[in-house]
């Protein structure tokens, strides 16, 4: 067990040093940033479906999964304690009517633990919820700088979850999330000498910061049943009520010294804005309600295939501090399809036969509309679950995802991305009864 804990801590520090940027998506400019995928690498490798549950993998999207009773190996009812940590790396190719650019980013995905307590299972951990990380510029017709936008930060979640095993068919659960974080952005509008058209030495800059905090809930239900001697039906349902986060805001205006030759900015002085007089010093940010449901069928410990639909009331996704011209929100939806196959889970002669092979597809309408154009997304994924050790429980998971977000229509940006995700899931049985003294 000590060796497994050492591996966890090594993985945590490696991912923290490796994952710093969060995102490079220009669409993180809007709202409180790009929504992060709340799920494990295993979920993500199957198109994002979360309806499959067992006792040796975490399921961060449906808290009812903590109430799963039987191990997926040997039918042993002693569930393991699970430690899991994950990170991912993304490469983006941005395309617009005016050109292309290549970016990359890295992120910490989650740190989680689950503990079985009889029919009750509990979990806790840390998950990034949104991420902001953009550097954008607009140019005039003569290609001179017009505006420069920068942003960083995001919202994180620390959570406590509980799932209860009702009977062999049903489990229920709840997540209690504490959301916290900050978002910082700045805007520079460049001015030029009206006589000779040269850029001015001194420019004006507006800087905003929002510190967000608040509690949110997520409720889950799972249903399992053998429909034949060999086939098992699994289904899941989750509901997240609307939540209002408290946003404490700051705004300042400053003067910067800009060097056009080196493109370096030097701050000169700043003045704090009186947001209290405008009623914007403390605002509310609405996290929309969400509902998801899905079902799938498979042969236990051999294969599974399923589909899941998610609907989110993102038309209420707003922050009163920021107003964006040409931007509005509609309700979002996601359809995910995916599954896995294990050639022979208990093979002692062939390691590759014990590997879990996963794949999936995802179709998403984000609800973000810019210039009357919906920002939609498509992704395809696949991954491997690699057994670690000789107990069939611990595993390392690697996932790959290729997708497209947005469009080049109406002067917008299309993102083509390739993500690589890696998780380490280490399991151990703490509460196994001794047969001999």
């Amino acid at each position: 067990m000590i060796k497994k804990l050492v591996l966890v801590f090594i993985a945590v520090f490696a991912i923290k040093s490796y994952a710093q940027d969060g995102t490079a998506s220009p669409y993180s400019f809007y709202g409180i940033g790009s929504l992060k995928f709340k799920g494990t690498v295993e979920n993500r490798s199957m198109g994002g479906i979360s309806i499959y549950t067992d006792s040796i993998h975490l399921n961060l999207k449906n808290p009812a999964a903590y109430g799963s009773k039987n191990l997926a190996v040997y039918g042993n009812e002693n569930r393991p304690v699970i430690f899991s940590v994950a990170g991912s790396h993304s490469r983006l190719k941005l395309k617009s009517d005016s050109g292309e650019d290549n970016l990359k980013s890295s992120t910490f995905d989650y740190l989680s633990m689950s503990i079985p307590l009889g029919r009750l299972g509990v979990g806790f951990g840390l998950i990034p919820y949104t991420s902001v990380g953009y550097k954008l510029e607009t140019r005039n017709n003569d290609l001179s700088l017009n505006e420069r936008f920068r942003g960083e930060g995001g919202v994180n979640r620390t959570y406590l979850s509980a799932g209860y095993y009702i009977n062999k068919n049903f489990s229920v659960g709840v997540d209690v999330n504490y959301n916290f974080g900050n978002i910082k952005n700045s805007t520079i509008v460049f001015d030029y000498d009206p006589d000779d058209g040269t850029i001015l030495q001194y420019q004006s800059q507006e800087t905003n910061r929002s510190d967000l905090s608040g509690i949110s809930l997520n409720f889950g239900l799972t249903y399992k049943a053998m429909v034949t001697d060999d086939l098992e039906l699994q289904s899941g349902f989750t509901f997240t009520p609307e939540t209002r986060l408290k946003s404490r805001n700051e705004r300042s205006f400053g003067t910067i010294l800009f060097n056009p030759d080196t493109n370096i900015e030097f701050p000169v002085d700043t003045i704090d804005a009186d947001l209290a007089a405008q009623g914007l010093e403390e605002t509310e940010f609405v996290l929309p309600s969400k509902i998801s449901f899905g079902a799938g069928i498979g042969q236990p410990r051999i294969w599974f295939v399923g589909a899941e639909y998610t609907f989110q009331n993102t038309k209420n996704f707003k922050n009163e501090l920021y107003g964006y011209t040409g931007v509005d929100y509609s309700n979002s939806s996601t359809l995910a399809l995916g599954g896995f196959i294990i050639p022979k889970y208990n093979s002692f002669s062939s390691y590759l036969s014990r590997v879990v092979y996963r794949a999936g597809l995802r179709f998403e309408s984000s609800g973000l509309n810019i210039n009357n154009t919906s920002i939609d997304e498509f992704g395809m994924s696949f991954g491997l679950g690699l057994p670690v050790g000789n107990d069939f429980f611990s595993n390392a998971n690697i996932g790959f995802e290729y997708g497209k977000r947005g469009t080049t229509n109406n002067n917008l940006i299309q993102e083509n991305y390739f993500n690589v995700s890696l998780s380490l899931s280490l399991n151990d049985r703490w509460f196994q009864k001794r047969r001999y003294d």
Side-chain angles (χ1 to χ4, degrees):
M1 184 61 199
I2 298 299
K3 292 181 179 180
K4 293 183 178 181
L5 286 173
V6 170
L7 284 174
V8 169
F9 288 122
I10 290 174
V12 169
F13 288 115
I15 288 174
K16 285 184 67 177
S17 61
Y18 164 76
Q20 298 176 356
D21 302 328
T23 183
S25 171
Y27 292 111
S28 68
F29 175 81
Y30 302 98
I32 55 173
S34 299
L35 291 174
K36 305 292 289 183
F37 175 75
K38 185 199 172 185
T40 62
V41 173
E42 299 94 302
N43 297 142
R44 194 170 184 173
S45 300
M46 296 187 290
I49 64 170
S50 62
I51 49 179
Y52 182 80
T53 62
D54 62 31
S55 296
I56 63 171
H57 296 92
L58 288 174
N59 186 333
L60 303 180
K61 298 181 71 176
N62 191 334
Y66 290 100
S68 178
K69 187 173 178 63
N70 296 323
L71 278 174
V73 183
Y74 301 138
N76 192 320
E77 293 190 358
N78 292 312
R79 289 182 292 156
V81 174
I82 306 175
F83 301 90
S84 191
V85 61
S88 58
H89 181 74
S90 299
R91 291 188 175 272
L92 292 86
K93 183 176 184 180
L94 306 182
K95 297 175 59 177
S96 69
D97 291 337
S98 58
E100 299 181 355
D101 197 6
N102 294 300
L103 301 172
K104 59 183 179 179
S105 65
S106 304
T107 182
F108 162 76
D109 287 338
Y110 55 85
L111 174 64
S112 301
M113 179 178 180
S114 72
I115 302 175
L117 301 170
R119 287 177 173 265
L120 180 70
V122 297
F124 53 90
L126 176 67
I127 305 175
Y129 178 61
T130 73
S131 184
V132 175
Y134 60 84
K135 296 179 181 179
L136 302 173
E137 293 179 349
T138 63
R139 294 183 176 269
N140 300 310
N141 293 332
D142 60 357
L143 299 182
S144 60
L145 276 173
N146 180 30
E147 295 174 303
R148 176 174 287 172
F149 306 93
R150 290 178 178 167
E152 62 182 6
V155 176
N156 300 305
R157 280 182 168 174
T158 181
Y159 71 90
L160 176 64
S161 303
Y164 185 76
Y165 175 87
I166 298 175
N167 56 41
K168 66 179 182 180
N169 299 122
F170 289 99
S171 293
V172 296
V174 61
D175 294 320
V176 180
N177 309 296
Y178 177 69
N179 305 274
F180 64 97
N182 63 76
I183 297 169
K184 295 178 285 186
N185 64 63
S186 65
T187 304
I188 302 172
V189 180
F190 291 90
D191 293 320
Y192 295 82
D193 191 308
D195 296 327
D196 57 16
T198 59
I199 193 167
L200 297 179
Q201 187 177 19
Y202 292 96
Q203 304 290 342
S204 298
Q205 178 177 259
E206 176 185 321
T207 303
N208 293 284
R209 174 178 172 133
S210 295
D211 289 276
L212 300 108
S213 62
I215 293 175
S216 60
L217 301 173
N218 179 47
F219 302 94
L221 171 71
T222 62
Y223 174 79
K224 295 182 180 182
M226 296 298 297
V227 293
T228 70
D229 291 340
D230 296 323
L231 296 180
E232 181 183 46
L233 171 70
Q234 290 207 30
S235 62
F237 171 86
T238 63
F239 171 67
T240 303
E242 181 179 281
T243 302
R244 295 179 181 270
L245 301 184
K246 181 182 294 184
S247 178
R248 297 184 181 274
N249 309 308
E250 300 174 0
R251 175 175 289 165
S252 63
F253 299 96
T255 301
I256 64 169
L257 181 65
F258 179 72
N259 187 328
D261 296 325
T262 61
N263 208 27
I264 295 177
E265 307 158 8
F266 299 93
V268 178
D269 58 46
T270 60
I271 299 175
D272 294 331
D274 186 5
L275 291 182
Q278 306 173 51
L280 294 176
E281 186 175 34
E282 186 174 299
T283 59
E284 289 186 337
F285 190 93
V286 177
L287 296 184
S289 61
K290 181 173 67 174
I291 186 172
S292 69
F293 55 88
I297 197 166
Q299 191 170 354
R301 300 182 293 278
I302 297 178
W303 63 271
F304 179 83
V305 63
E308 186 172 23
Y309 177 79
T310 302
F311 173 85
Q312 194 164 11
N313 190 22
T314 44
K315 68 180 181 181
N316 293 327
F317 202 64
K318 63 182 180 180
N319 188 338
E320 298 173 4
L321 182 66
Y322 306 110
Y324 305 107
T325 303
V327 177
D328 64 270
Y329 289 91
S330 58
N331 293 328
S332 67
S333 62
T334 303
L335 176 63
L337 310 169
F340 70 83
I341 185 170
I342 310 173
K344 190 176 182 181
Y345 75 93
N346 58 355
S347 174
F348 286 95
S349 59
S350 173
Y351 179 83
L352 293 179
S353 295
R354 293 191 283 126
V355 172
V356 185
Y357 300 88
R358 305 182 176 101
L361 298 171
R362 178 172 51 87
F363 307 86
E364 180 176 352
S365 175
S366 69
L368 174 63
N369 302 294
I370 306 174
N371 298 336
N372 296 318
T373 303
S374 176
I375 306 303
D376 298 329
E377 185 173 346
F378 167 76
M380 61 179 69
S381 57
F382 62 96
L384 302 172
L386 306 173
V388 176
N390 298 317
D391 58 5
F392 296 94
F393 301 150
S394 299
N395 50 88
N397 299 279
I398 184 169
F400 306 91
E401 184 179 25
Y402 174 79
K404 182 182 76 170
R405 180 189 297 114
T407 176
T408 56
N409 296 334
N410 296 327
N411 297 316
L412 297 178
I413 297 174
Q414 176 181 303
E415 297 179 11
N416 294 317
Y417 59 83
F418 180 72
N419 301 328
V420 180
S421 302
L422 177 66
S423 75
L424 186 62
S425 181
L426 301 179
N427 303 354
D428 198 77
R429 287 179 289 181
W430 286 4
F431 306 108
Q432 186 174 8
K433 293 182 179 179
R434 295 182 179 179
R435 294 185 179 181
Y436 305 99
D437 293 329

